[in-house]
Amino acid sequence: MIALRHLFGIAELDAEQIRYLLQLGASFVGLSRRSIRKAPTLRGKTIINLFFESSTRTRTSFEIAGKRLSADVINISSSTSATKKGESLLDTALTLAAMRPHVLVIRHALPGCCHFLAEHLRETSIVNAGDGAHEHPTQALTDLLTLQEHGGFVGKTITIVGDIAHSRVARSHLLAARKMGYRVRLVAPKTLLPRRVEQFGCEVYHDFDEAIPGSDVLYMLRIQTERLTSNCSFPSLREYHEAYGLNGRRLAAAGEQCLVMHPGPMNRGVEIASDVADSAASRILDQVEHGVAMRMAVLTALCGGGEEA
Ligand code: CP
């Protein structure tokens, strides 16, 4: 049993903690497939989801995870919070913490916001649900749980394709790969790659077709147009799809064993062809399903460690 104080990122977790979270997550997968999808694990706990950026998967799965474990869950979005009236992020967080929730799940555009808030919040655990282009730890954990349930990830090669420069998911995987024993290949035009990304120990490709042989997973990313600056550009979406989109030809070249993943939201016809997204190789909806179990595991570890689970 391992109890976590906060979940800021994969950077702060060691391999033993990640293995424990994956084991706990696996134990929760079955709960969501039963006819009665409820357990008492988090009865009496209060969880606040505070989202300053849009989200379908992460926010909903944290809400369902908390409710399936009998916690009281409150959702707040930036559009309905007092930040619209000029309140700072810190004052909002201090206000919510004064209501004594056990866990605050935060998504915000500011990298490092969870570390910052944790310095001011004494008793509330904080979960990073995505902080700018920094980290998205529960997505990386969700992906590993999905792979664990579909043949494993140790020794495998995950090829991440697309807007690496703005991807908190890619960063979390680069950190997780070293700890958990899998390889990451990155594929992107130079304008969508962070500088000195090789320091993470990954292979870098600019030609998608060259990166396909030996890939066990093709992990596609959308272009984060909301974070693009003028020096991160590319000619057009059509040309982008030609060069970096996953189509049937590339999937066939990858071989029958290769899986397709995507953290969502997808832009069909841009980074992934529609028929590939819906193909037998696609684990995209499995990722969504495992996201609920993984967030149950994270909330449980934050609220005491999972002895009851
Ligand atoms: N993967 C992910 O973070 O999706 P949402 O933006 O819908 O939460």
Side-chain angles (χ1 to χ4, degrees):
M1 194 179 93
I2 294 175
L4 297 178
R5 174 77 181 94
H6 302 288
L7 179 56
F8 296 144
I10 298 294
E12 288 80 15
L13 296 175
D14 61 31
E16 188 189 355
Q17 289 170 317
I18 294 173
R19 272 193 290 275
Y20 173 72
L21 288 171
L22 292 173
Q23 187 185 349
L24 195 52
S27 75
F28 283 129
V29 173
L31 176 66
S32 295
R33 294 176 183 172
R34 297 199 314 230
S35 59
I36 306 294
R37 292 159 197 161
K38 200 82 168 175
T41 312
L42 299 183
R43 194 164 48 203
K45 307 291 184 185
T46 306
I47 297 160
I48 298 181
N49 291 326
L50 179 58
F51 278 62
F52 291 93
E53 288 188 329
S54 61
S55 169
T56 297
R57 281 143 286 266
T58 311
R59 197 200 60 74
T60 310
S61 60
F62 265 114
E63 180 176 356
I64 291 176
K67 287 181 172 170
R68 286 199 179 147
L69 294 178
S70 306
D72 298 308
V73 183
I74 291 93
N75 296 307
I76 302 175
S77 71
S78 56
S79 59
T80 54
S81 79
T83 54
K84 281 275 177 205
K85 301 176 188 169
E87 188 172 65
S88 70
L89 171 63
L90 178 57
D91 281 330
T92 299
L94 288 170
T95 300
L96 295 173
M99 299 179 203
R100 303 184 66 77
H102 295 84
V103 181
L104 198 50
V105 179
I106 300 176
R107 171 171 286 190
H108 197 281
L110 182 69
C113 65
C114 296
H115 297 81
F116 166 71
L117 293 178
E119 287 173 13
H120 299 270
L121 272 53
R122 296 246 164 88
E123 293 182 28
T124 309
S125 294
I126 294 178
V127 183
N128 180 1
D131 59 337
H134 178 228
E135 275 225 49
H136 194 349
T138 60
Q139 182 64 51
L141 292 168
T142 290
D143 299 337
L144 293 185
L145 179 59
T146 308
L147 288 171
Q148 184 173 275
E149 304 275 304
H150 291 93
F153 54 81
V154 176
K156 299 280 176 72
T157 298
I158 300 183
T159 299
I160 304 178
V161 187
D163 184 1
I164 314 289
H166 303 101
S167 175
R168 47 199 176 203
V169 181
R171 187 181 172 86
S172 289
H173 271 297
L174 286 167
L175 293 164
R178 282 184 170 179
K179 298 178 185 193
M180 302 310 293
Y182 61 100
R183 285 179 292 275
V184 170
R185 286 180 185 169
L186 301 178
V187 184
K190 284 183 184 160
T191 51
L192 293 178
L193 272 173
R195 282 190 209 153
R196 295 187 292 279
V197 72
E198 294 85 355
Q199 71 187 351
F200 284 98
C202 57
E203 297 172 26
V204 177
Y205 294 79
H206 303 299
D207 184 325
F208 189 3
D209 293 302
E210 282 179 13
I212 288 174
S215 296
D216 297 293
V217 179
L218 295 175
Y219 193 105
M220 308 310 296
L221 298 174
R222 81 181 169 94
I223 300 163
Q224 300 198 27
T225 44
E226 71 275 24
R227 298 188 213 279
L228 281 188
T229 56
S230 55
N231 57 357
C232 292
S233 57
F234 46 85
S236 70
L237 290 180
R238 190 185 59 77
E239 284 176 271
Y240 180 86
H241 181 69
E242 284 298 311
Y244 294 102
L246 180 55
N247 54 27
R249 176 184 66 76
R250 289 189 169 122
L251 182 60
E256 275 181 15
Q257 301 306 312
C258 187
L259 303 179
V260 175
M261 297 176 83
H262 194 309
M266 277 187 285
N267 289 142
R268 289 172 184 255
V270 182
E271 73 273 12
I272 188 164
S274 203
D275 57 337
V276 172
D278 300 329
S279 70
S282 173
R283 290 288 161 269
I284 295 168
L285 292 179
D286 295 306
Q287 288 171 270
V288 178
E289 180 184 5
H290 288 92
V292 176
M294 198 64 239
R295 281 147 189 143
M296 284 184 191
V298 166
L299 293 173
T300 300
L302 288 164
C303 291
E307 196 173 22
E308 292 171 47

XYZ file of all heavy atoms in Angstrom, residues 51 54-59 107 129 136 139 168-169 263-265 295, ligand 1:
149
model
N -11.320 23.032 -13.332
C -10.784 23.010 -14.698
C -10.833 24.399 -15.332
O -11.907 24.952 -15.541
C -11.539 21.982 -15.557
C -11.022 20.575 -15.353
C -11.090 19.968 -14.114
C -10.449 19.875 -16.399
C -10.590 18.693 -13.909
C -9.942 18.601 -16.220
C -10.011 18.001 -14.974
N -10.564 23.460 -21.288
C -11.627 22.531 -21.658
C -11.157 21.082 -21.512
O -9.958 20.786 -21.610
C -12.086 22.794 -23.089
O -10.991 22.603 -23.952
N -12.103 20.212 -21.279
C -11.792 18.782 -21.113
C -13.073 17.976 -21.232
O -14.112 18.370 -20.691
C -11.175 18.546 -19.734
O -11.097 17.165 -19.452
N -13.009 16.879 -21.931
C -14.103 15.902 -21.916
C -13.673 14.681 -21.111
O -14.306 14.306 -20.126
C -14.473 15.485 -23.350
O -14.941 16.635 -24.042
C -15.571 14.426 -23.355
N -12.566 14.049 -21.531
C -12.129 12.791 -20.935
C -11.676 12.940 -19.486
O -12.145 12.213 -18.593
C -10.957 12.194 -21.750
C -11.378 11.488 -23.001
C -10.366 11.748 -24.110
N -10.558 13.110 -24.563
C -11.338 13.429 -25.594
N -11.895 12.490 -26.298
N -11.531 14.693 -25.932
N -10.743 13.866 -19.239
C -10.108 13.923 -17.917
C -11.112 14.355 -16.850
O -11.227 13.718 -15.795
C -8.909 14.891 -17.961
O -8.111 14.566 -19.096
C -8.071 14.788 -16.706
N -11.856 15.411 -17.124
C -12.797 15.909 -16.119
C -13.894 14.880 -15.833
O -14.202 14.585 -14.681
C -13.432 17.237 -16.568
C -14.084 18.000 -15.414
C -15.091 19.007 -15.889
N -16.185 18.407 -16.643
C -17.176 17.697 -16.111
N -17.222 17.480 -14.816
N -18.121 17.187 -16.875
N -6.788 21.495 -13.698
C -6.244 21.686 -15.051
C -6.120 23.183 -15.285
O -7.083 23.936 -15.097
C -7.135 21.062 -16.123
C -6.678 21.447 -17.529
C -7.385 20.681 -18.609
N -6.907 19.303 -18.679
C -7.217 18.466 -19.666
N -7.994 18.874 -20.647
N -6.756 17.238 -19.674
N -4.147 17.649 -13.516
C -4.952 17.100 -14.620
C -4.519 17.722 -15.949
O -5.278 17.712 -16.920
C -6.429 17.353 -14.354
N 0.966 15.657 -17.977
C -0.396 15.134 -17.854
C -0.239 13.714 -17.304
O -0.401 12.725 -18.019
C -1.071 15.126 -19.226
C -2.563 14.938 -19.193
N -3.254 14.557 -18.059
C -3.490 15.059 -20.184
C -4.543 14.462 -18.354
N -4.714 14.766 -19.626
N -2.846 10.843 -17.746
C -2.996 10.324 -19.107
C -1.912 9.283 -19.381
O -2.193 8.206 -19.919
C -2.926 11.451 -20.133
C -3.117 10.981 -21.579
C -4.500 10.406 -21.837
O -5.490 11.042 -21.514
N -4.578 9.200 -22.397
N 1.858 17.830 -23.276
C 2.170 17.418 -21.900
C 2.142 15.890 -21.792
O 2.801 15.315 -20.942
C 1.192 18.068 -20.922
C -0.268 17.975 -21.315
C -1.079 19.013 -20.567
N -2.484 19.064 -20.945
C -3.255 20.121 -20.764
N -2.763 21.228 -20.252
N -4.526 20.101 -21.089
N 1.369 15.245 -22.666
C 1.314 13.776 -22.648
C 2.667 13.200 -23.086
O 3.194 12.262 -22.473
C 0.192 13.252 -23.563
C 0.137 11.736 -23.525
C -1.149 13.840 -23.169
N -4.529 10.269 -27.153
C -5.099 10.701 -25.871
C -6.429 11.419 -26.022
O -7.141 11.612 -25.033
C -4.024 11.654 -25.328
C -3.356 12.201 -26.555
C -3.382 11.094 -27.567
N -6.752 11.820 -27.243
C -7.945 12.599 -27.494
C -7.741 14.050 -27.044
O -6.855 14.329 -26.252
N -8.539 14.981 -27.547
C -9.514 14.777 -28.609
C -8.832 14.596 -29.977
O -7.797 15.175 -30.219
C -10.338 16.078 -28.570
C -9.433 17.100 -27.947
C -8.530 16.364 -27.020
N -7.911 6.782 -12.717
C -8.201 7.928 -11.824
C -8.792 7.446 -10.497
O -8.576 8.079 -9.469
C -9.064 8.940 -12.558
C -8.151 9.768 -13.492
C -8.697 10.241 -14.753
N -7.637 10.816 -15.575
C -7.554 10.696 -16.900
N -8.479 10.023 -17.564
N -6.551 11.237 -17.560
N -6.673 13.394 -23.019
C -7.253 14.487 -22.500
O -6.679 15.176 -21.640
O -8.483 14.769 -23.008
P -9.444 15.928 -22.491
O -8.816 17.230 -22.902
O -10.782 15.692 -23.132
O -9.495 15.827 -20.989
